[in-house]
């Protein structure tokens, strides 16, 4: 609303990855609408925030690091950038600080800033995965984060149980995705096949990293070969990212069945709309598949070092978000030595069969997940209400 603050607020922002920058930009746009003025921005971000007036302190790609090895190699540079960002924010004295992703970076920045500016409202958009590993982060955050905007419905209770900051479920951007909604409506009402048509529309999603693709495509190929041996006709789609396209095409070139490799979001949505079943790398894509109504099987192979670390640090009972949201096994998960192509092939057959008990159960569970995740207003709008209230209290 116009007049919530006396002047356009100065908002500190830290968003390293493109997805986080988009979330932050949507939040700022909704905040601007409520305040009747365009907030001034300072911090680290990319094009979506540049369009709203941010002049990033440095290239956000420097902090958008994935994986332990990448973080370790970049520690000296990250330490310098943490100091630079914190010093700039402290000098600017923003009205609010919003941190989104790159937690090894952004949480350290927030801690430093809060120490020097103790009355500054600090908002964390997207809760850290304290329910999966390092639960002690929740209580530690309470000293320098005032509000957490959670995108998963179970996170406020988890954060409260762990002694973390005040946490609000604002909703997940995927629930507002009109294309996924159309897929869901189409897939859940899909009628029986034409008589004599037993082709399985198989969707393969081997991951978004080169290491994941290398680790899983061999298993997926064996599952495809077993399906063929069992007399199944297949139509195979494999949406991937542009930087992985050559690697994927080279790998599937000698497969016995032609694989339709595509890139781009629209091609991926079209694949969701026609798929009977998906073999997918464990990750956020499982939630996309659930919301699109595509029965799925989850697989993951970790390198030995990461596996040893994970065995000691992971605390969650499942790595599949649909399972955690539903609080029961919705999607079967197979890891490392548990991955058996013969099992994948037979389960894929069952899930692809119209009217099978397993497929019906999974679709019913998907509907329950959608109900649990549903919110009355878009995430950016609910988040903007919380940020605006924090600005009023601070002002």
């Amino acid at each position: 609303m116009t007049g919530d603050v006396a002047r356009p607020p100065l908002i500190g922002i830290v968003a390293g990855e493109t997805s986080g920058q988009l979330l932050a930009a949507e939040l700022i746009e909704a905040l601007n609408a409520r305040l009747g003025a365009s907030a001034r921005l300072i911090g680290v971000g990319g094009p979506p925030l540049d369009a709203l007036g941010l002049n990033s302190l440095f290239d956000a790609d420097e902090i958008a690091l994935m994986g332990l090895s990448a973080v370790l190699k970049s520690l000296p540079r990250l330490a310098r950038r943490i100091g630079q960002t914190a010093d700039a924010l402290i000098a600017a004295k923003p009205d609010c600080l919003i941190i989104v992703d790159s937690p090894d970076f952004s949480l350290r920045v927030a801690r430093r800033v809060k120490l020097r500016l103790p009355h500054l409202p600090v908002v964390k958009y997207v809760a850290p995965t304290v329910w999966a590993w390092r639960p002690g982060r929740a209580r530690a955050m309470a000293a320098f984060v005032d509000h957490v905007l959670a995108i998963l419905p179970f996170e406020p209770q988890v954060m409260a149980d762990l002694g973390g900051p005040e946490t609000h479920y604002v909703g997940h951007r995927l629930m507002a995705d009109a294309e996924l909604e159309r897929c869901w409506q189409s897939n859940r009402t899909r009628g029986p096949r034409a008589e004599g048509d037993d082709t399985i529309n198989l969707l393969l999603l081997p991951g978004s990293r080169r290491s994941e693709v290398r680790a899983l495509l061999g298993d997926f190929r064996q599952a495809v070969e077993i399906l063929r041996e069992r007399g199944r006709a297949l139509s195979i789609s494999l949406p991937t990212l542009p930087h992985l396209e050559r690697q994927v095409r080279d790998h599937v070139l000698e497969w016995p069945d032609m694989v339709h490799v595509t890139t781009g979001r629209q091609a991926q949505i079209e694949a969701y709309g026609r798929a009977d079943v998906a073999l997918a790398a464990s990750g956020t894509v499982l939630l996309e598949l659930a919301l699109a109504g595509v029965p799925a099987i989850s697989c993951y192979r970790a390198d030995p070092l990461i596996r040893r670390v994970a065995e000691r640090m992971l605390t969650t009972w499942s790595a599949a978000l649909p399972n955690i949201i539903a609080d029961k096994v919705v999607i079967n998960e197979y890891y490392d030595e548990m991955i058996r192509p013969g099992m994948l092939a037979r389960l894929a057959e069952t899930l692809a069969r119209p009217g099978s008990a397993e497929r019906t159960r999974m679709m019913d569970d998907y509907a329950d997940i959608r109900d649990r995740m549903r919110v009355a207003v878009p995430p950016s709008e609910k988040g903007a209400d919380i940020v605006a209230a924090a600005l009023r209290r601070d002002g």
Side-chain angles (χ1 to χ4, degrees):
M1 292 185 299
T2 302
D4 281 349
V5 291
R7 59 183 174 82
L10 177 62
I11 305 295
I13 290 282
V14 179
E17 299 174 20
T18 300
S19 58
Q21 293 161 20
L22 289 169
L23 285 177
E26 290 172 356
L27 179 63
I28 295 300
E29 287 175 339
L31 180 64
N32 289 344
R34 272 150 183 71
L35 301 178
S38 296
R40 297 166 293 139
L41 305 179
I42 180 173
V44 182
L49 290 163
D50 296 344
L52 296 174
L54 177 68
N55 184 13
S56 186
L57 296 170
F58 52 84
D59 190 334
D61 286 346
E62 292 189 32
I63 63 172
L65 302 174
M66 300 181 70
L68 180 61
S69 59
V71 172
L72 290 175
K73 285 193 295 186
S74 302
L75 277 178
R77 176 170 49 79
L78 284 176
R80 290 194 301 272
R81 292 304 196 189
I82 288 169
Q84 175 190 356
T85 306
D87 289 346
L89 290 168
I90 291 166
K93 296 183 180 179
D95 297 294
C96 180
L97 172 60
I98 300 171
I99 58 175
V100 185
D101 50 25
S102 306
D104 291 306
F105 181 91
S106 62
L107 290 174
R108 286 174 171 81
V109 168
R111 186 188 296 115
R112 290 193 186 194
V113 173
K114 190 73 167 181
L115 188 63
R116 294 286 300 277
L117 303 174
H119 300 297
L120 173 70
V122 176
V123 177
K124 175 74 174 77
Y125 194 3
V126 184
T129 54
V130 294
W131 42 268
W133 69 301
R134 291 169 59 194
R137 290 177 293 167
R139 187 174 296 277
M141 283 173 56
F144 58 91
V145 173
D146 300 287
H147 302 280
V148 176
L149 309 181
I151 63 173
L152 298 172
F154 59 85
E155 290 176 319
Q157 187 60 56
V158 171
M159 198 67 77
D161 292 344
L162 293 173
E166 182 178 350
T167 302
H168 319 259
Y169 174 56
V170 299
H172 199 292
R173 63 177 178 81
L174 291 179
M175 281 293 291
D177 189 312
E179 298 287 354
L180 290 181
E181 175 67 23
R182 278 193 284 273
C183 288
W184 167 255
Q185 295 298 337
S186 173
N187 287 334
R188 74 168 182 164
T189 58
R190 184 181 296 182
R193 297 178 185 277
E195 187 174 350
D197 180 9
D198 60 353
T199 299
I200 294 177
N201 293 303
L202 179 63
L203 175 61
L204 302 181
L205 296 162
S208 58
R209 305 179 191 176
R210 295 187 184 280
S211 59
E212 291 174 329
V213 171
R214 284 195 301 269
L216 285 179
L217 271 184
D219 296 307
F220 289 178
R221 173 176 180 166
Q222 290 182 56
V224 165
E225 290 174 344
I226 292 168
L227 284 166
R228 289 183 75 251
E229 291 169 2
R230 293 171 64 83
R232 299 300 181 187
L234 300 173
S235 174
I236 305 173
S237 298
L238 201 166
T240 191
L241 297 170
H243 71 278
L244 297 175
E245 182 179 8
R246 177 47 53 196
Q247 177 187 2
V248 168
R249 288 190 182 279
D250 288 346
H251 198 291
V252 304
L253 192 61
E254 301 300 324
W255 283 30
D257 286 83
M258 179 176 292
V259 180
H260 186 47
V261 178
T262 59
T263 60
R265 179 64 173 172
Q266 190 55 44
Q268 186 172 8
I269 290 294
E270 290 172 3
Y272 289 171
R274 62 176 174 266
D276 295 314
V277 64
L279 299 179
S282 181
T284 304
V285 72
L286 295 176
L287 184 56
E288 278 203 355
L289 292 169
L291 297 180
V294 181
I297 305 165
S298 173
C299 303
Y300 202 81
R301 286 192 183 275
D303 68 54
L305 175 60
I306 292 176
R307 194 184 314 171
R308 286 195 293 271
V309 172
E311 287 171 353
R312 292 196 300 270
M313 298 184 70
L314 286 177
T315 59
T316 183
W317 65 273
S318 171
L321 285 178
N323 294 354
I324 300 172
I325 293 168
D327 195 28
K328 65 178 180 180
V329 177
V330 176
I331 293 175
N332 286 34
E333 302 173 90
Y334 301 95
Y335 297 96
D336 301 321
E337 291 81 7
M338 293 171 58
I339 298 176
R340 294 286 187 270
M343 174 70 79
L344 302 183
R346 288 163 175 82
L347 183 53
E349 275 182 335
T350 302
L351 289 174
R353 188 181 309 128
S356 71
E358 292 82 358
R359 182 183 181 90
T360 300
R361 176 196 60 78
M362 187 172 286
M363 295 298 282
D364 289 344
D365 288 339
Y366 283 176
D368 176 58
I369 289 166
R370 293 176 65 88
D371 288 341
R372 290 172 184 247
M373 294 185 68
R374 189 168 286 111
V375 292
V377 298
S380 59
E381 294 185 16
K382 190 168 183 179
D385 287 339
I386 294 165
V387 173
L391 287 170
R392 287 195 297 269
R393 285 193 294 270
D394 185 58

